[in-house]
Amino acid sequence: MAKDEFEKREFKVVGTRVARPDGLDKVTGRARYGADMSAPGMLVGYCLRSPHAHARIKSIDTSEAEAMAGVKAVITRADFTNVPASDGTRDILDNVMANDKALYDGHTVAAVAATSRSAAKAALKAIKVDYEVLPHVTDVDAAMLPGAPELHQGRQQESVPEGFSQNVLARSQYGHGDVDAGFAQADVIIERSFKTAATHQGYIEPHACLATMGNDNQGDLFCCTQGHYMVRNTCADILGMESGRLRVTASEIGGGFGGKTTVFLEPVALMLSKKSGKPVKMTMSRDEVMRASGPTASTSIDIKIGTTRDGVITAATGEFRYQSGCFYAMNGALGAMCGFAPYDLENLKSVGWEVTTNRPKAAAYRAPGAPMAAFAVESVVDEVAKEIGMDPIDFRLKNAADEGTKSAYGPTYPAIGLRATLEAAKAHPHWSAPLGKNQGRGVGCGFWFNFGGDTCVSLMLNPDGTVSLSEGNPDIGGSRASMSMMAAEELGVPYENVRTIVADTASLGQNEVTDGSRVTFAVGLATIKAARHAIEIMKARAAATWGIDAEAVEWVDGAAQPAGPNAGKFPPLTVKEIAATMSNTGGPIAGHFEANAEGAGVSFGTHICDTEVDPETGAVKILRYTVFQDAGKAVHPDYVEGQLQGGAVQGIGWALNEEYIYGEDGTLQNAGYLDYRIPVASDLPMIEPVILEIPNPGHPYGVRGVGETGIVPPLATIANAVSRAAGVRMTSLPMSPPKVLAAIKAN
Amino acid sequence: MSRIHVTTTVNGDAVDYLCEADDTLLDVLRDQLDLTGSKEGCASGDCGACTVELDGRLVCSCLVLGAEAEGRTVETIEGMANGDVLHPLQKNFIEKAALQCGVCTPGILVAAKNLLDHTPDPSEEEVRYWLAGNLCRCTGYDKIIRAVLDTAAEMRGAA
């Protein structure tokens, strides 16, 4: 179904800026997020966490805690007697409740449910854990060396060559051509090494859930997540129960950005509830979110690019070493696939490495793995362009991937929008605006795959002609509005007549997590198909009413009408009229659609940024920022702009401030918003979004996901701007004032 | 532990509650008064998601003890609309897409209203610095700043 879904059409609802259905709840404080739900007789649950980066758990004595007033359940790993079916879920269990070793500062080793917070906290203090502290490692390069402290044994994949520690779990290689021959043709070759610090998604809402589980092995869970079906399946596997016996309802979600695509508290809360026989609510503190949820990988990257004097890249290589915390995660491979994706390269070798360290397991963060790769590649691209005296946009245009280009990661591109974003950037007044002293302008490109995946939508016609739409993906960026818009567009009814809700796991079939920028694409596609299904039924009802063939009925402007003069002469039947009589024409009318959606359509963006560097302090100010991104078709332009602006600002934080800082003892030194500083309003200018619309052939309206690509170019764009402003190439993120000042002084 | 009896005014209503000595005003609002519009994002006064007015002054309710509200006046997001009539800031945050996930929105609205109450014609820079204590991770602040400026203009009758 991938190729030929798109049909050009005039839109009536899609492309407008309607009010979101969840708006009123969110501006009045009524909206219910993960921590906002309570249940009668509810207990509160808290985790005891390892203070050590790496330690063997010799014993845990919970007897004193269990005897304390108000304490209703204490659990450790010993309570999780079921062995999960998959290796991935086994890692998740080991992450949410430590097995024989604590693998990072903040790793949960026990948990308590009690009648009050004070009783629970007192009980945590009464649990005695006997640790044997082990040597630890948190830096990716150090972790790879032979002799490094090792987290696991026997998990190294066959792809890893000799000479590395057991922390190196996998190596993957992408590319084509002959890089040695390519470099031999180059007039200029530049090779650089880069490092980036781990960052956190920084969603303002900490993880939270309310679990109810009985000894009948039946449960209910309310939680903030990007995917309640994933939560259900994972928790059921961990607890050894049938997934159909666990119903999960997604709360409003207070930001996720990829960080809520796995479970942390949920299996623990369910086990506490099962053991205590009462509902248990758990909420993470910010300290726990920072120490023990899923930040990004930190990286160490080498890039080498060769070019001719007239600006043709002849060869490129990249080594992308990513540490993703204490368990396997595919991040280095994603970096190796994405870094060179904007370019049409004859000779490429791009290698990704997956490394474990004594840090919390990385989770996704908006185009996981790609921003750091783009930082490294686009920095060298900028330097090469400068070296041969070519405008950096012209250099990128000369080497840009197009329809038909064999991508860095293998497949050949269909219609893509990279060139359009570069041309729009070049033509924009920002690119030619004058710069002042200590100021520099940077440009950078970014790529993300975008995903489709399992998707179900059900669309119900109500007796008064209004429409109820059920989708199964938590609404993280306005998707309920977008689904209502696409259903209204297809049915030919007003936007206000369609109300979209996020159904629980018992009310709709399996849905993939809200990730991979997939929702507006995949759920949108399913919504359109569900609407078409309902239209077919409505046409059949009209045909039966008129006594003509269903094939002789067409759907125009929200009504069935005879397809032509030969079909008969009947006045159109509107949705409202068909709904009013549906009980007599065959019963309720509903459309539905289920598929593993393909054809997501890759996404590209180009950013321009102006910075000013204070030569006295090394502080960087963002003066102006413009984002160019291909949205395929912007269903709700406000929310597309919001994704581009939000992604850019997260990238600004990553580039300039944000960093996980570990002490010599391997503990996190800045587990809070005071010392882990995300951008605030006064740090920033307005962020100008420019939406390009190159239709995605895989979607009926041409939609591409837009959620993730916006964070890919900023790290490089800002580094290029700072490097040009400071007159020295910046190769380490974040570009915090001390680092920038040191670089200026060393120059 | 003996608990403290507190009598106070929240959103114009007289209320009383019993709290533990270390309960914050945010704990009391959320867990005892069921006013869950104020959010706990950090519990350290860094994110502003719990912003309320205490005697007309903006505070992070996570940094105020429940016991300290005795005899004072608390205004939360739940008191911002007048019945079913939204404050212009609330209306414009919906119309101008100034929110995404919405978890920071209550704190930002309370803070922005406080600004406009005493500064009806703020500059962009003033709005940015006034809201610098309210973290938003979704929007990049652009549409929030514009919505506050547009609302100020509208409320001055200059729109």
Side-chain angles (χ1 to χ4, degrees):
Chain A
M1 65 186 231
K3 281 290 171 197
D4 48 359
E5 293 285 345
F6 176 68
E7 282 174 57
K8 201 166 165 51
R9 63 191 283 162
E10 294 295 316
F11 292 106
K12 291 180 175 162
V13 182
V14 165
T16 63
R17 298 175 190 249
V18 295
R20 61 195 297 157
D22 48 320
L24 186 71
D25 282 351
K26 287 180 174 174
V27 300
T28 55
R30 283 194 327 217
R32 292 246 162 176
Y33 294 83
D36 296 340
M37 193 67 99
S38 300
M42 179 181 89
L43 306 175
V44 288
Y46 288 91
C47 291
L48 182 68
R49 296 178 182 278
S50 168
H52 305 296
H54 196 192
R56 188 167 311 284
I57 300 167
K58 293 163 76 177
S59 65
I60 304 179
D61 180 358
T62 60
S63 55
E64 191 185 326
E66 282 165 25
M68 291 170 75
V71 174
K72 302 297 180 187
V74 182
I75 60 170
T76 65
R77 180 55 182 265
D79 291 276
F80 291 85
T81 51
N82 176 61
V83 179
S86 76
D87 287 353
T89 310
R90 183 200 60 202
D91 282 354
I92 292 172
L93 171 56
D94 285 349
N95 195 32
V96 303
M97 186 63 75
N99 196 358
D100 56 336
K101 290 205 295 183
L103 296 169
Y104 55 94
D105 165 34
H107 200 165
T108 299
V109 297
V112 168
T115 51
S116 70
R117 185 182 63 227
S118 51
K121 295 260 164 115
L124 290 183
K125 283 186 184 161
I127 297 173
K128 295 183 189 70
V129 185
D130 187 7
Y131 291 106
E132 177 196 346
V133 177
L134 302 170
H136 67 273
V137 63
T138 55
D139 176 75
V140 60
D141 292 321
M144 293 175 78
L145 295 174
E150 291 175 334
L151 280 77
H152 311 285
Q153 297 296 323
R155 296 200 181 186
Q156 193 164 69
Q157 296 176 11
E158 286 176 3
S159 56
V160 180
E162 295 282 312
F164 294 96
S165 79
Q166 288 285 316
N167 296 323
V168 181
L169 295 187
R171 174 191 184 277
S172 49
Q173 183 173 325
Y174 305 88
H176 45 259
D178 179 344
V179 291
D180 292 334
F183 282 120
Q185 294 164 22
D187 299 316
V188 171
I189 296 172
I190 289 181
E191 194 170 3
R192 286 271 189 197
S193 294
F194 300 86
K195 286 204 105 162
T196 69
T199 58
H200 194 274
Q201 299 84 355
Y203 35 81
I204 308 299
E205 180 203 27
H207 300 265
C209 65
L210 172 60
T212 309
M213 182 84 190
N215 64 7
D216 58 354
N217 227 22
Q218 189 159 286
D220 283 280
L221 185 63
F222 175 87
C223 61
C224 63
T225 176
Q226 288 176 242
H228 42 309
Y229 294 85
M230 170 278 298
V231 171
R232 178 194 65 180
N233 301 346
T234 307
C235 289
D237 193 8
I238 286 175
L239 272 73
M241 63 192 287
E242 295 87 1
S243 63
R245 299 183 73 79
L246 178 62
R247 181 179 66 161
V248 184
T249 305
S251 71
E252 289 292 341
I253 179 168
F257 315 108
K260 292 175 182 168
T261 57
T262 184
V263 298
F264 297 106
L265 295 176
E266 293 84 354
V268 178
L270 284 165
M271 186 59 83
L272 285 170
S273 179
K274 189 176 182 185
K275 197 164 182 180
S276 65
K278 298 188 187 319
V280 174
K281 178 163 157 178
M282 297 188 80
T283 308
M284 276 197 195
S285 66
R286 179 57 49 183
D287 173 274
E288 290 177 292
V289 171
M290 297 296 289
R291 287 166 68 207
S293 63
T296 66
S298 65
T299 74
S300 165
I301 303 172
D302 305 328
I303 301 295
K304 182 178 176 184
I305 295 177
T307 177
T308 60
R309 279 274 160 218
D310 59 353
V312 177
I313 297 176
T314 59
T317 61
E319 294 281 333
F320 299 86
R321 296 174 293 268
Y322 285 41
Q323 74 72 27
S324 296
C326 57
F327 296 104
Y328 172 81
M330 191 178 88
N331 274 316
L334 293 174
M337 293 163 91
C338 293
F340 294 102
Y343 299 104
D344 183 358
L345 302 172
E346 241 174 72
N347 305 297
L348 171 71
K349 182 184 168 193
S350 191
V351 178
W353 299 84
E354 317 298 347
V355 183
T356 51
T357 66
N358 294 110
R359 297 185 183 220
K361 183 190 172 183
Y365 179 18
R366 221 169 188 155
M372 318 76 140
F375 160 62
V377 171
E378 294 291 302
S379 290
V380 177
V381 165
D382 191 67
E383 207 172 352
V384 169
K386 204 170 173 207
E387 182 69 22
I388 61 170
M390 204 163 167
D391 174 278
I393 292 184
D394 288 340
F395 182 68
R396 285 174 171 83
L397 279 167
K398 190 148 194 168
N399 294 285
D402 258 318
E403 183 169 358
T405 296
K406 183 174 170 59
S407 68
Y409 57 98
T412 299
Y413 289 130
I416 56 171
L418 171 64
R419 188 169 293 277
T421 66
L422 281 163
E423 283 167 352
K426 199 179 176 197
H428 194 278
H430 185 171
W431 188 241
S432 48
L435 287 167
K437 195 174 172 226
N438 298 322
Q439 295 178 358
R441 177 166 300 140
V443 61
C445 294
F447 159 89
W448 185 244
F449 305 94
N450 288 349
F451 293 121
D454 286 342
T455 308
C456 295
V457 163
S458 184
L459 182 151
M460 289 74 73
L461 187 61
N462 301 316
D464 63 355
T466 59
V467 174
S468 298
L469 187 76
S470 291
E471 58 149 319
N473 278 90
D475 177 352
I476 203 158
S479 58
R480 276 167 293 190
S482 299
M483 295 317 137
S484 291
M485 292 172 82
M486 284 185 266
E489 184 77 52
E490 198 65 30
L491 292 168
V493 301
Y495 164 73
E496 293 74 19
N497 285 15
V498 185
R499 181 171 184 191
T500 301
I501 61 118
V502 179
D504 64 55
T505 55
S507 305
L508 197 63
Q510 169 77 15
N511 281 276
E512 172 62 66
V513 174
T514 296
D515 68 0
S517 301
R518 74 174 216 92
V519 172
T520 314
F521 163 74
V523 185
L525 182 145
T527 295
I528 292 165
K529 299 282 177 121
R532 289 180 182 172
H533 180 211
I535 287 169
E536 287 310 309
I537 299 168
M538 289 192 282
K539 281 159 66 178
R541 299 289 175 91
T545 303
W546 294 327
I548 64 174
D549 285 347
E551 292 76 38
V553 178
E554 62 182 4
W555 191 260
V556 179
D557 291 337
Q561 64 180 36
N566 294 340
K569 203 167 165 53
F570 304 100
L573 278 172
T574 64
V575 171
K576 188 170 179 174
E577 288 162 340
I578 295 168
T581 60
M582 65 185 174
S583 185
N584 299 326
T585 61
I589 295 174
H592 61 98
F593 184 77
E594 300 80 23
N596 183 342
E598 294 174 1
V602 299
S603 168
F604 289 93
T606 297
H607 292 195
I608 311 175
C609 174
D610 296 351
T611 60
E612 183 169 313
V613 175
D614 183 340
E616 303 293 321
T617 64
V620 174
K621 186 160 181 57
I622 305 289
L623 302 172
R624 186 172 180 180
Y625 203 104
T626 311
V627 179
F628 306 83
Q629 191 173 314
D630 172 20
K633 174 66 196 173
V635 175
H636 193 305
D638 275 340
Y639 301 147
V640 174
E641 290 169 5
Q643 291 298 315
L644 309 195
Q645 291 165 330
V649 168
Q650 287 187 320
I652 289 170
W654 199 335
L656 297 181
N657 292 317
E658 297 178 32
E659 121 179 72
Y660 263 49
I661 300 170
Y662 280 91
E664 287 194 2
D665 61 355
T667 62
L668 185 61
Q669 304 294 294
N670 58 336
Y673 279 135
L674 185 62
D675 299 316
Y676 182 95
R677 190 175 181 284
I678 72 172
V680 304
S682 54
D683 295 338
L684 299 161
M686 294 296 184
I687 307 293
E688 185 183 344
V690 179
I691 301 170
L692 286 303
E693 295 187 326
I694 292 86
N696 169 21
H699 186 277
Y701 298 170
V703 169
R704 291 177 204 272
V706 296
E708 291 168 289
T709 304
I711 204 172
V712 183
L715 282 54
T717 302
I718 297 161
N720 289 340
V722 171
S723 297
R724 285 173 182 254
V728 54
R729 178 56 52 181
M730 299 303 300
T731 58
S732 174
L733 298 186
M735 294 175 285
S736 51
K739 267 197 220 164
V740 175
L741 193 59
I744 291 172
K745 287 196 167 159
N747 198 28
Chain B
M1 197 190 306
S2 71
R3 302 210 292 170
I4 302 160
H5 181 224
V6 176
T7 305
T8 186
T9 304
V10 179
N11 298 329
D13 297 328
V15 299
D16 71 321
Y17 51 82
L18 291 171
C19 65
E20 294 187 15
D22 63 351
D23 280 345
T24 66
L25 176 57
L26 179 61
D27 293 333
V28 170
L29 289 172
R30 290 180 54 82
D31 299 339
Q32 299 212 38
L33 304 181
D34 207 18
L35 296 173
T36 54
S38 304
K39 307 299 180 191
E40 182 177 303
C42 68
S44 57
D46 295 309
C47 80
C50 66
T51 303
V52 300
E53 283 188 356
L54 184 63
D55 290 343
R57 222 176 121 232
L58 286 182
V59 295
C60 290
S61 58
C62 72
L63 296 183
V64 177
L65 291 172
E68 289 181 278
E70 173 67 36
R72 300 171 81 173
T73 304
V74 181
E75 289 288 332
T76 72
I77 185 63
E78 287 89 348
M80 195 161 165
N82 183 5
D84 67 349
V85 180
L86 296 180
H87 186 278
L89 278 165
Q90 292 174 303
K91 175 181 74 72
N92 281 326
F93 266 54
I94 299 174
E95 288 179 1
K96 297 173 188 300
L99 59 90
Q100 284 182 32
C101 82
V103 80
C104 69
T105 306
I108 287 182
L109 284 168
V110 170
K113 176 180 176 292
N114 185 276
L115 170 68
L116 299 191
D117 283 348
H118 62 74
T119 310
D121 190 9
S123 66
E124 181 190 332
E125 190 174 23
E126 280 177 290
V127 177
R128 286 190 179 277
Y129 276 89
W130 190 263
L131 295 180
N134 291 87
L135 301 180
C136 169
R137 193 58 158 171
C138 294
T139 65
Y141 304 100
D142 186 299
K143 291 186 191 300
I144 292 172
I145 305 299
R146 289 179 197 275
V148 174
L149 289 168
D150 288 351
T151 305
E154 191 180 304
M155 289 176 76
R156 293 194 309 274

